[in-house]
Amino acid sequence: MNTTPSADLNLPEEIREEFEILASNTVEILPRHEFAAKLLKARKEGRPLRVKYGADPSAPDIHLGHSVPIRKLKQFQDFGHQVVFIIGGYTARIGDPSGKSTTRPRLTLEQVKENAETYMQQIFKILDRDKTEVVDNAEWLEGMSVSETIELMSKYTVSQMLEREDFHNRFDSEAPIYIHEFIYPLLQGYDSIAVRSDIELGGTDQKFNLLVGRELQRMEGQEPQCVMTMPLLVGLDGHNKMSKSLGNYIGVSDHPRDMFGKAMSIPDELMSTYYRLVLAAGAEDLTAFEAKVSSGELHPRDAKMDIAARITDLYHGEGAGEEQRADFIKRFSERTFPEETAERVAISSAEIQNVQQFLQHIGVAKSSREAQRLVSQKAVHFLQEPDGSDLKSQTGEPLKLLKSPLVHGEYRLKVGKTRFVILTVS
């Protein structure tokens, strides 16, 4: 992790602050001296650098793990540079093998288009729309002829591809590697040629692909891009990379209550990481935060509430975090069912006959399989007391799980750790 990134570069005064801020919280910048030279040249010529970031819309939601490189893009925008956000409309249909031990399932064109639409709604919660150039790599990749594709594939050897750790491990374990997976890094690299990228950002698992782009640009006669890798955010389970499939994520479009509640489950040992990466805190701010926690001036619970409130403010506007903090304290410290703020849902037992259908109806689950998983994990509970007023009395006892079919009446539900619903079944 870069902490004193310019100490050995003797940077000119006019770009020192810019370099320090842009290089902060990165894992690697390759090559660092070229990055500094690009910044200086851009400043002298009065032109912005073209900063590339590619995202395959393989799922409909962006989570805080995605926000780490996107917030770095915003820092580039703040210094006047041009962000080129590439939607992988073509590459998403192939599937990025980076960091995977098995072949990714391929998506249909319709799935990619639907996911891309939600991406656009979410990235502009962070990026400046007017300073963002959005392009779809299907524009240039879909029209490539067979001969052009073969020419691109001739740039790299099989042995070079097998240098990638994930491919190497799969080869050694005799797990299948398909030819279309080998071409993925080349297609991503070709994107850098198409948009004439100066800088490309990605997670540490993208390093191989980013360097392929740099090499292909050099072969094409373009000035090669610099590569900036960002750390991968560990999810709420405290072990794995944040991932929707693992359920250890906070979505940037989550309801404020869900966002705050999920943030309260961040493991204590990851608070500084979230403070630094998710909130993009500066070194002095982070040091002050850590000092307050270590000295006992700030209790870990209160520190986590501060982080949760700031995250909620980022995506739902100033004041949203404090509102959710008050609601959280009322629900969990006072152990009262939040009658005033609980969602109210009315359904017909003729239309929705069981818990799984209900979870899909209110948007908690996107499929019956996901709903069944929530039920099996005991993430959905119907409170035993009719008025649901005293959660504390339920401590240590499993809450009553409603069996299908639904029967008429009014119920108070707890879904997960943070969502409360008053359900009327008619």
Side-chain angles (χ1 to χ4, degrees):
M1 187 73 67
N2 286 310
T3 53
T4 55
S6 64
D8 60 340
L9 292 178
N10 297 318
L11 295 174
E13 186 66 33
E14 60 264 38
I15 67 161
R16 185 169 299 150
E17 180 185 10
E18 181 179 1
F19 184 98
E20 293 281 1
I21 291 175
L22 294 177
S24 64
N25 294 334
T26 62
V27 177
E28 286 185 290
I29 300 175
L30 302 170
R32 291 168 69 243
H33 67 281
E34 282 188 24
F35 176 61
K38 283 179 183 287
L39 290 177
L40 184 60
K41 184 178 179 182
R43 180 69 64 90
K44 288 181 176 179
E45 295 178 356
R47 66 173 180 84
L49 293 174
R50 292 177 63 77
V51 186
K52 170 195 171 191
Y53 180 75
D56 284 345
S58 54
D61 299 319
I62 291 176
H63 54 61
L64 294 189
H66 300 121
S67 79
V68 175
I70 297 176
R71 290 209 169 276
K72 180 59 65 177
L73 294 176
K74 181 61 169 62
Q75 289 182 337
F76 274 98
Q77 288 185 331
D78 291 342
F79 281 105
H81 299 295
Q82 177 68 56
V83 166
V84 183
F85 196 100
I86 298 181
I87 293 290
Y90 188 84
T91 46
R93 285 177 269 162
I94 296 176
D96 184 3
S98 299
K100 299 297 178 183
S101 59
T102 58
T103 303
R104 276 183 182 267
R106 299 179 64 186
L107 301 180
T108 66
L109 178 59
E110 290 70 26
Q111 288 174 312
V112 171
K113 285 183 177 179
E114 288 178 8
N115 293 344
E117 287 180 10
T118 63
Y119 265 41
M120 289 301 94
Q121 297 167 11
Q122 294 169 62
I123 65 169
F124 293 122
K125 288 178 175 285
I126 303 173
L127 296 178
D128 185 330
R129 189 183 297 268
D130 295 332
K131 297 179 182 178
T132 306
E133 178 183 329
V134 180
V135 291
D136 187 331
N137 63 15
E139 293 177 20
W140 52 84
L141 294 179
E142 200 147 39
M144 290 182 70
S145 66
V146 174
S147 60
E148 288 172 326
T149 303
I150 292 174
E151 176 63 25
L152 180 62
M153 294 174 70
S154 71
K155 306 295 185 183
Y156 265 67
T157 66
V158 171
S159 61
Q160 284 177 298
M161 288 296 176
L162 288 176
E163 289 174 6
R164 282 182 51 149
E165 183 178 6
D166 42 24
F167 282 156
H168 181 77
N169 291 340
R170 285 164 66 180
F171 182 79
D172 282 350
S173 63
E174 298 185 359
I177 305 171
Y178 294 91
I179 299 299
H180 75 275
E181 295 182 276
F182 274 155
I183 197 176
Y184 186 96
L186 297 170
L187 295 177
Q188 180 177 329
Y190 188 84
D191 289 348
S192 296
I193 295 173
V195 302
R196 303 191 73 87
S197 168
D198 292 308
I199 314 288
E200 183 172 10
L201 270 69
T204 52
D205 57 348
Q206 289 287 314
K207 180 178 176 179
F208 183 92
N209 293 356
L210 307 184
L211 291 173
V212 168
R214 175 178 166 84
E215 182 63 14
L216 291 180
Q217 282 182 307
R218 186 190 63 76
M219 293 178 182
E220 188 71 15
Q222 291 185 11
E223 182 178 316
Q225 66 186 17
C226 290
V227 167
M228 181 177 283
T229 60
M230 301 297 298
L232 302 178
L233 185 67
V234 176
L236 301 179
D237 58 5
H239 301 289
N240 299 296
K241 181 179 79 169
M242 184 171 281
S243 166
K244 188 169 183 186
S245 62
L246 295 176
N248 64 351
Y249 73 102
I250 302 175
V252 302
S253 291
D254 278 351
H255 186 280
R257 186 184 302 143
D258 294 336
M259 182 173 285
F260 189 97
K262 287 181 181 180
M264 288 301 295
S265 66
I266 295 169
D268 287 358
E269 63 271 17
L270 289 179
M271 285 196 296
S272 291
T273 298
Y274 276 69
Y275 201 85
R276 175 169 51 84
L277 297 180
V278 176
L279 300 176
E284 291 183 9
D285 196 11
L286 176 62
T287 300
F289 170 79
E290 291 177 331
K292 287 181 180 180
V293 175
S294 61
S295 68
E297 180 182 348
L298 187 62
H299 190 279
R301 180 197 61 245
D302 297 326
K304 203 172 295 185
M305 281 193 180
D306 288 347
I307 293 173
R310 290 181 61 173
I311 290 174
T312 307
D313 278 347
L314 278 176
Y315 296 101
H316 294 284
E318 188 174 351
E322 286 307 311
E323 182 180 336
Q324 293 308 316
R325 186 202 300 261
D327 179 64
F328 186 90
I329 291 172
K330 181 177 180 180
R331 286 186 286 133
F332 292 95
S333 296
E334 300 175 7
R335 297 287 184 177
T336 58
F337 186 89
E339 292 282 340
E340 295 180 1
T341 58
E343 297 174 58
R344 293 180 179 270
V345 179
I347 61 173
S348 166
S349 60
E351 296 177 297
I352 298 177
Q353 300 179 1
N354 54 47
V355 174
Q356 288 80 6
Q357 291 178 351
F358 168 71
L359 293 178
Q360 293 178 74
H361 176 74
I362 65 172
V364 170
K366 296 187 181 298
S367 66
S368 58
R369 178 176 295 180
E370 184 178 357
Q372 183 60 50
R373 178 176 60 80
L374 290 171
V375 172
S376 65
Q377 292 176 346
K378 299 183 179 179
V380 184
H381 299 95
F382 283 67
L383 305 180
Q384 289 179 334
E385 297 297 325
D387 61 2
S389 60
D390 188 5
L391 294 178
K392 192 173 183 180
S393 67
Q394 305 290 341
T395 301
E397 298 178 7
L399 298 178
K400 182 180 179 182
L401 183 64
L402 187 72
K403 304 298 182 182
S404 57
L406 295 176
V407 295
H408 299 178
E410 187 173 276
Y411 303 89
R412 282 157 177 74
L413 300 81
K414 182 182 179 185
V415 182
K417 294 182 178 180
T418 62
R419 192 168 184 178
F420 292 83
V421 180
I422 298 174
L423 170 66
T424 301
V425 181
S426 61

